[in-house]
Amino acid sequence: MKTIPLILMGCGGVGCHLLQHIVSCRSLHSSQGLCLNVLGVSDSKSLVVTEDSSNKGLDDKFLMELCRVKRDGGSLSKLGDLGDCRLFSHPELQERILELASQLGGKTGLVFVDCSASSNTVAVLKQVVDMGCCIVMANKKPLTSTMEDFEKLYAYPRRIRHESTVGAGLPVIASLNRIISSGDPVHRIIGSLSGTLGYVMSEVEDGKPLSQVVRAAKSLGYTEPDPREDLGGMDVARKALILARILGQRINMDTIQIESLYPKEMGPDVMSVEDFMNSGLPLLDKDIQERVEKAASNGNVLRYVCVIEGSRQSSLCEVGIQELPKNSPLGRLRGSDNVLEIYTRCYTSQPLVIQGAGAGNDTTAAGVLADIVDIQDLFP
């Protein structure tokens, strides 16, 4: 039986779904000669870790109780009977994580799984990768930090996986890496990488006002509590930056042209969420409707996409609304799916198209689990 010990950083929606997947897949993994050992789990304030990290991980019943506490809005410090576990808080938390990395990184191996939404994990990840540990990420922020941080994390490419940072469970990163490894130059990537904005743009295409569509999306749970976090395009820009850097472009976030669907005058520091939804958002209806009608008169549709072109020497990376042919893969997009078109020497007139659910805790967690299993050959 091959054992993969891991530490989970972040046990919110994605993290708890990952733990549930690990527990429910025990018999499947066992039949494959594989065992995933969860040695510790941390949230933003605490770390719970097994006392005997060399022999066993946290008990499955304990992991399910942990998920229940987190789903109820509690922190790890609210856990009751810890049994054979210990609880660490700041400032001991990071010290204990690095201690485990030092003990296991170069021996049996250790995987750090970042399912948080924090930029604070990058400091730990940079240290543990030097200790021989592997990294699996759903968190985009470490890879969209400085170019120096990105190169540090990618210093050992065999030990890093982050499929879920771009398209949840879709095989975007794996497909792109296979193309690059084959020597097939990538000329252009264009994609709708936000389920929220994909839904919004396909609905306004049907003649519905933007304000009505955004309200509906919010009530369906498609948007963040403040929809401007989606409408501003920053999440799409982070995904675009990751893809551009994989292609070899040495760029930072401030290099990317980002079109926000709302003006600065309606930003969070000026308007409350309630004011934006009730009085700000309706003011944007006319402009979007005119753009939709103009695109339709040309036989096209509007989609909110990222566009990445060029090479190391000359590059373009932008995020915003584009007018696209109605019969293209992106033009046919409906609902909250993600669609990515990759144009290369081999895929010139007919691009490689990747499409499917690109959001949701369950889908994202499944992608993370697949990444963990994918690095099993690095473990003794």
Side-chain angles (χ1 to χ4, degrees):
M1 184 71 71
K2 178 176 286 190
T3 299
I4 299 181
L6 63 92
I7 301 285
L8 173 62
M9 303 164 70
C11 47
V14 175
C16 282
H17 271 81
L18 174 62
L19 293 176
Q20 289 166 359
H21 284 325
I22 288 173
V23 172
S24 66
C25 288
R26 289 293 187 202
S27 59
L28 170 65
H29 290 157
S30 180
S31 69
Q32 298 170 343
L34 185 65
C35 177
L36 303 188
N37 237 2
V38 183
L39 303 184
V41 178
S42 73
D43 59 15
S44 59
K45 298 177 181 177
S46 308
L47 165 72
V48 59
V49 64
T50 178
E51 286 273 32
D52 187 5
S53 59
S54 60
N55 291 317
K56 65 176 185 176
L58 299 172
D59 179 77
D60 285 351
K61 288 183 179 179
F62 181 81
L63 292 176
M64 292 302 93
E65 172 62 13
L66 183 153
C67 289
R68 185 196 65 76
V69 169
K70 293 301 294 183
R71 276 197 305 270
D72 291 345
S75 66
L76 295 182
S77 59
K78 301 296 183 183
L79 285 167
D81 181 15
L82 293 176
D84 295 332
C85 310
R86 286 190 65 191
L87 186 72
F88 295 88
S89 301
H90 286 299
E92 296 176 294
L93 188 156
Q94 184 168 325
E95 182 181 324
R96 180 56 180 155
I97 286 177
L98 294 177
E99 189 178 312
L100 282 168
S102 178
Q103 288 173 359
L104 303 176
K107 295 178 181 179
T108 58
L110 180 62
V111 183
F112 278 82
V113 183
D114 186 357
C115 288
S116 73
S118 171
S119 56
N120 296 329
T121 58
V122 67
V124 171
L125 295 177
K126 286 194 300 179
Q127 291 181 73
V128 301
V129 77
D130 270 342
M131 297 176 182
C133 299
C134 296
I135 297 172
V136 173
M137 285 181 283
N139 183 10
K140 292 178 279 291
K141 291 180 181 176
L143 292 173
T144 55
S145 181
T146 65
M147 195 67 211
E148 181 184 1
D149 287 342
F150 178 87
E151 289 176 336
K152 181 69 174 177
L153 295 174
Y154 249 94
Y156 307 94
R158 290 187 65 217
R159 290 200 254 124
I160 182 172
R161 297 289 188 280
H162 58 97
E163 193 67 76
S164 294
T165 58
V166 174
L170 294 177
V172 173
I173 306 296
S175 301
L176 195 55
N177 281 333
R178 284 176 63 86
I179 290 171
I180 293 168
S181 298
S182 73
D184 186 11
V186 178
H187 303 306
R188 174 180 167 89
I189 294 176
I190 179 168
S192 174
L193 295 176
S194 166
T196 303
L197 292 174
Y199 170 83
V200 167
M201 298 313 297
S202 63
E203 289 292 295
V204 296
E205 179 189 336
D206 292 338
K208 298 174 185 174
L210 176 68
S211 56
Q212 178 186 325
V213 173
V214 173
R215 287 192 196 100
K218 188 173 188 291
S219 67
L220 290 168
Y222 287 173
T223 73
E224 296 294 331
D226 184 347
R228 285 171 293 191
E229 291 186 33
D230 300 288
L231 300 177
M234 185 56 69
D235 186 62
V236 179
R238 288 194 183 99
K239 296 174 181 179
L241 180 58
I242 291 170
L243 293 176
R245 285 177 167 179
I246 289 173
L247 294 181
Q249 296 184 16
R250 295 177 56 80
I251 61 173
N252 290 312
M253 188 62 74
D254 56 9
T255 312
I256 302 176
Q257 302 171 46
I258 306 171
E259 178 185 2
S260 172
L261 295 189
Y262 65 88
K264 291 181 179 178
E265 295 76 23
M266 296 183 188
D269 53 339
V270 180
M271 277 187 173
S272 67
V273 177
E274 186 178 357
D275 287 343
F276 174 72
M277 296 298 293
N278 294 332
S279 57
L281 199 50
L283 299 177
L284 307 177
D285 288 343
K286 184 180 178 182
D287 178 61
I288 290 293
Q289 190 56 44
E290 287 175 352
R291 293 175 72 174
V292 168
E293 291 170 358
K294 181 183 175 184
S297 68
N298 296 327
N300 297 326
V301 293
L302 298 182
R303 294 290 180 262
Y304 195 95
V305 297
C306 69
V307 179
I308 305 162
E309 293 179 351
S311 60
R312 292 172 183 264
Q313 290 74 31
S314 175
S315 61
L316 166 73
C317 187
E318 61 183 18
V319 168
I321 294 177
Q322 295 264 344
E323 191 174 313
L324 299 167
K326 196 170 187 176
N327 63 350
S328 67
L330 279 162
R332 292 191 294 269
L333 174 66
R334 304 294 300 176
S336 59
D337 271 7
N338 281 189
V339 176
L340 196 75
E341 301 176 15
I342 304 175
Y343 294 83
T344 73
R345 184 190 64 222
C346 296
Y347 299 96
T348 305
S349 55
Q350 295 295 326
L352 173 65
V353 179
I354 303 169
Q355 178 173 357
N361 292 334
D362 191 20
T363 308
T364 303
V368 174
L369 180 57
D371 273 351
I372 297 169
V373 173
D374 190 50
I375 56 176
Q376 62 178 292
D377 291 343
L378 298 179
F379 289 79

